[in-house]
């Protein structure tokens, strides 16, 4: 595979997306908010569920939260100098749950101004798959789901690269080697299944891991304002998963 590309300039981090979403009357504000919804929907939904709401009310509250961000132009008030966007988003979600809006008639599923391919069944399925019953606080669960969302986007990007190279099957067989948790099959087994030598499998996995780490760093870089914050955010992500 080609050498890992350098991370994009920090001017194109998530903050540019947030800024676009905060310009209520701008042509691309709706699309930017829809993208943010896709990135942060599941962490917000998981937080609401862990706060004690059943699946349907949690879906309506999460949907309503993102709609309110657009209607009230709240994103225009985000100060990038005052911490991570995820921290601001969580504080805004907490406020949303304590205001009077959630006692009004819930938005009908699929309605509203944001068109994003998430429905109640899919949202609850993701919640059940990634959020087993445990003693995590809603805040810790939000952070954990945020970290998982980051890793999912990295895997999707890496998968896309292999698909474009015509190596989708190779990626699916080797992806278990990325996590380091023992999920991957032994190299000897993989070599037999792939018709490769064991040494070649080791080299391929090594390159796959290098690319994965580069993409992970790039993805995290998009969520912070300065380059010197990337290492701290990576440590925070790993801690959230732990």
């Amino acid at each position: 595979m080609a050498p890992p590309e350098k991370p994009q300039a920090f001017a194109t981090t998530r903050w540019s997306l947030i800024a676009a979403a905060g310009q209520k009357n701008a042509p691309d504000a709706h699309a930017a908010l829809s993208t943010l919804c896709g990135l942060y929907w599941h962490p917000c939904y998981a937080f609401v569920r862990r706060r004690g709401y059943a699946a349907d009310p949690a879906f309506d509250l999460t949907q309503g939260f993102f709609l309110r961000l657009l209607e009230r132009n709240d994103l225009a008030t985000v100060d990038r100098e005052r911490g991570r966007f995820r921290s601001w988003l969580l504080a805004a979600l907490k406020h949303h749950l304590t205001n009077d809006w959630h006692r009004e008639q819930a938005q009908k599923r699929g309605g509203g101004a944001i068109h994003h391919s998430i429905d109640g069944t899919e949202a609850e399925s993701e919640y059940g798959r990634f959020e087993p019953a445990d003693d995590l606080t809603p805040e810790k669960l939000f952070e954990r789901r945020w970290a998982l969302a980051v890793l999912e986007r990295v895997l999707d990007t890496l998968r896309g690269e292999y698909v474009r190279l015509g190596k989708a099957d190779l990626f699916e067989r080797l992806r278990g080697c990325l996590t380091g948790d023992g999920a991957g099959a032994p190299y000897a087994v993989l070599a037999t299944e792939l018709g490769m030598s064991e040494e070649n499998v080791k080299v391929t996995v090594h390159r796959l891991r290098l690319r994965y780490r580069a993409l992970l760093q790039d993805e995290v870089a998009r969520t912070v304002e300065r380059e010197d914050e990337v290492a701290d955010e990576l440590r925070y992500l790993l801690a959230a998963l732990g």
Side-chain angles (χ1 to χ4, degrees), residues 27-87:
D28 57 349
H30 183 282
L33 184 59
S34 181
T35 300
L36 284 174
C37 175
L39 294 173
Y40 293 102
W41 175 279
H42 288 297
C44 291
Y45 179 81
F47 177 83
V48 177
R49 286 286 279 118
R50 187 52 58 91
R51 284 284 291 263
Y53 290 91
D56 286 351
F59 178 89
D60 289 328
L61 282 163
T62 307
Q63 177 83 338
F65 172 62
F66 284 99
L67 288 172
R68 293 277 282 186
L69 290 182
L70 179 62
E71 293 168 358
R72 293 168 59 94
N73 202 25
D74 288 343
L75 287 169
T77 68
V78 179
D79 183 357
R80 68 175 67 185
E81 299 298 330
R82 300 185 63 182
R84 305 289 192 266
F85 173 69
R86 57 178 162 74
S87 299

Side-chain angles (χ1 to χ4, degrees), residues 119-134:
D119 59 30
T121 301
E122 192 267 351
E124 184 61 17
S125 175
E126 287 291 296
Y127 176 77
R129 184 161 66 98
F130 287 109
E131 274 65 69
D134 54 35

Side-chain angles (χ1 to χ4, degrees), residues 84-101:
R84 305 289 192 266
F85 173 69
R86 57 178 162 74
S87 299
W88 179 91
L89 190 71
L90 181 56
L93 180 58
K94 289 179 178 179
H95 178 73
H96 178 70
L97 294 182
T98 58
N99 70 18
D100 291 337
W101 183 88

Side-chain angles (χ1 to χ4, degrees), residues 4-5 7 154 209-219:
E5 299 176 359
V154 171
R209 286 173 174 167
L210 288 178
R211 184 58 179 152
Y212 177 77
R213 291 167 187 165
L215 289 172
L216 177 58
Q217 182 172 347
D218 190 13
E219 181 64 30

